[in-house]
Amino acid sequence: MTRYLVVPQWQGSPSSRAMQLIDGAQAIAGDLPRSATTILDVPMEAGEGLGSGIHRLSALQRVRSLVADALDGHDEPVLTIGGDCGIALAPIAHAARRTPGLAVVWIDAHPDLNSPESSPSGAFAGMVLRAVLGEGDSGLLLETGTVASDRVVIGAARSYDEAELEAVANLGIAALTVEALRDPDALAAAVVATGADAVYIHIDIDALDPAEIAGNAHPEPFGITVSELTAAIGRLRAVLPLAGASLAGYSPASSASATDDLGAILRVVGALA
């Protein structure tokens, strides 16, 4: 049985709607099986940057520790629900410890490959994948080599900063466009080509086309559809075991509208679970 860990973290987001991520996470939690779901009590304080170039670093470190503790002892795959994309760091570390040959699939309109030096916002949500590869501030990263860059596959990214384009080229990261992902076999083929033993899947809902979901603080046009995304996940899961997954970025415009997109989101949750 899949376990669910809900982490309503907002401190890693650059958005003016960051705190709406709390409403989004709680709305999703309301439709998850209660007996299999843990909701973390995320501290509300913003935290301090501590001279790191990462805004709110101290709060992010505290939440990472809480997530790691909650995952400790779980051998079955856990689906972590955010919150911002920073919630994926500890679950990926947990999955990588159990599966040395882990591939990471990062499906996001933005590749999240900035460093504290290159980030235009200082928001950790835009640095998470770079931290997974062991680059960034020592307070928030995995050890170098924990996840190999040639076992990372980005999907549906269509808004790159210059430093992120350089990272993809220099680190040998595979990147599938939205058009490529419309072939339901493309993602599975790309991950199998890495030689991985298992896969971790992270999804930011901004990978979806804005016509598919309204609760998105950073809409990017020409995204994938829910049907295309779930088909790609299904084909991938048919060929490789899932070591863990995360879903982030649901930021409804108000608490009153927080349930409006749940039909689409729960289809994605179902594909991952």
Side-chain angles (χ1 to χ4, degrees), residues 231-243:
I233 293 169
R235 297 293 177 89
L236 175 55
R237 294 197 61 186
V239 296
L240 276 176
L242 185 70

Side-chain angles (χ1 to χ4, degrees), residues 9-257:
Q9 174 179 285
W10 61 274
Q11 291 93 334
S13 171
S15 173
S16 60
R17 274 169 48 177
M19 295 196 74
Q20 264 73 51
L21 291 164
I22 300 171
D23 295 330
Q26 291 175 341
I28 297 170
D31 274 317
L32 300 177
R34 184 169 300 180
S35 63
T37 301
T38 300
I39 302 176
L40 284 191
D41 185 12
V42 171
M44 288 300 296
E45 62 265 22
E48 301 291 336
L50 306 178
S52 65
I54 300 175
H55 293 174
R56 308 172 181 138
L57 174 65
S58 62
L60 294 166
Q61 289 174 317
R62 184 175 174 191
V63 177
R64 179 191 179 181
S65 178
L66 291 172
V67 174
D69 289 345
L71 292 170
D72 189 36
H74 284 287
D75 293 325
E76 75 277 21
V78 175
L79 172 52
T80 305
I81 305 288
D84 65 70
C85 286
I87 57 97
L89 188 64
I92 291 174
H94 177 75
R97 282 193 296 271
R98 296 185 295 117
T99 309
L102 184 72
V104 172
V105 168
W106 198 265
I107 299 178
D108 194 321
H110 315 87
D112 299 341
L113 279 168
N114 270 299
S115 66
E117 293 74 30
S118 71
S119 172
S121 69
F124 183 64
M127 310 179 203
V128 190
L129 189 53
R130 195 66 170 262
V132 166
L133 296 173
E135 298 184 22
D137 187 88
S138 59
L140 278 178
L141 51 73
L142 273 60
E143 292 183 11
T144 302
T146 300
V147 175
S149 59
D150 60 3
R151 284 193 174 138
V152 171
V153 178
I154 293 171
R158 50 204 187 275
S159 178
Y160 287 80
D161 293 322
E162 187 62 35
E164 294 175 314
L165 288 170
E166 292 175 2
V168 169
N170 295 338
L171 297 174
I173 296 171
L176 297 178
T177 64
V178 169
E179 189 61 34
L181 281 177
R182 293 201 165 109
D183 174 356
D185 294 315
L187 181 61
V191 178
V192 168
T194 70
D197 301 320
V199 62
Y200 182 100
I201 303 173
H202 172 76
I203 296 172
D204 186 326
I205 61 100
D206 68 12
L208 295 169
D209 191 86
E212 296 280 291
I213 192 162
N216 178 0
H218 300 284
E220 293 288 344
F222 311 116
I224 55 175
T225 68
V226 172
S227 294
E228 290 164 345
L229 176 58
T230 56
I233 293 169
R235 297 293 177 89
L236 175 55
R237 294 197 61 186
V239 296
L240 276 176
L242 185 70
S246 45
L247 177 70
Y250 182 40
S251 177
S254 68
S255 57
S257 64

